Amino acid sequence: MKKLNTLGKVITKILEVFHWVGVALMIAAVICSIAAPNWIGYFVGFDAKECCGANLEIYGFEINAPVSDGKVDLSSFLIFGIGAIVILAVMAMVFRNLHLIFKKSENSTPFQKDNVRMMREIGIFTIAIPVIGFIMSVIARLVMGSDVAEISIDMGGIFMGIVVLCFTQFFAHGVELENDVDGLV
């Protein structure tokens, strides 16, 4: 069990750092696209075709940025960038909480109030990711038209968030049971 806990801590910390790096890179990409719009091709790839556009996607949030004269549409890239920054930050928080749960449970029981709170936050964050993507898709569709963004929602994230919230209730009950047992001893 100790090796699994150590492996979990390492993997969740690596994924958290990768997501924070992704946030920093997306912020840099958005700033660069505003300062030098010709550089967007470096971020989306120069293979974006005039016929199909540049397909930008992260955790279910998808925008097809139009390409004209070999240049990607700036407004669609900016809307995607803002959505990607928020989604990546929320995912980083999910992995941060998972890391802290592994860390707090290392030499103690996992049935702790802080772990229950962090699991609840993970459930809320997991549900928030597809909702953020949906809201950004609606904004993109309103700003740029129906050809750019398909309004959809990834139900997998919502279902996973509901499952995590259900597990949170079991862990909350476990905390109560441990407190009762500790009171008897």
Side-chain angles (χ1 to χ4, degrees):
M1 185 70 172
K2 186 154 178 78
K3 288 183 181 186
L4 181 63
N5 195 31
T6 304
L7 183 65
K9 284 190 329 186
V10 169
I11 290 171
T12 55
K13 183 50 86 174
I14 289 170
L15 289 172
E16 176 193 355
V17 169
F18 278 169
H19 280 84
W20 285 123
V21 168
V23 168
L25 290 173
M26 280 309 301
I27 290 171
V30 168
I31 291 171
C32 284
S33 69
I34 292 170
N38 296 337
W39 286 24
I40 295 177
Y42 290 109
F43 299 111
V44 298
F46 286 106
D47 60 343
K49 308 270 189 283
E50 302 249 352
C51 67
C52 315
N55 191 25
L56 309 172
E57 193 268 332
I58 187 161
Y59 287 106
F61 170 49
E62 187 173 345
I63 288 183
N64 189 13
V67 176
S68 61
D69 296 329
K71 296 182 181 177
V72 178
D73 181 52
L74 179 63
S75 58
S76 59
F77 184 78
L78 288 176
I79 290 175
F80 174 79
I82 292 167
I85 289 167
V86 174
I87 289 171
L88 286 169
V90 170
M91 276 305 295
M93 294 301 294
V94 166
F95 288 114
R96 175 188 172 274
N97 281 359
L98 282 171
H99 176 77
L100 291 174
I101 289 171
F102 278 120
K103 193 173 180 180
K104 286 187 73 65
S105 302
E106 189 172 34
N107 297 321
S108 181
T109 177
F111 299 108
Q112 301 173 34
K113 284 186 179 182
D114 284 341
N115 286 353
V116 172
R117 177 188 52 79
M118 288 186 282
M119 282 185 65
R120 187 173 298 120
E121 288 174 359
I122 289 170
I124 292 168
F125 292 153
T126 307
I127 292 172
I129 290 168
V131 172
I132 292 165
F134 177 75
I135 291 169
M136 293 306 293
S137 294
V138 169
I139 291 170
R141 193 169 179 119
L142 291 174
V143 171
M144 294 167 296
S146 61
D147 295 340
V148 174
E150 178 182 315
I151 297 180
S152 63
I153 191 160
D154 180 18
M155 294 304 289
I158 291 176
F159 293 145
M160 185 57 68
I162 291 170
V163 168
V164 171
L165 289 174
C166 289
F167 281 138
T168 301
Q169 296 304 313
F170 297 133
F171 271 77
H173 185 66
V175 169
E176 291 174 12
L177 290 176
E178 279 205 0
N179 288 338
D180 289 345
V181 168
D182 289 343
L184 292 175
V185 173

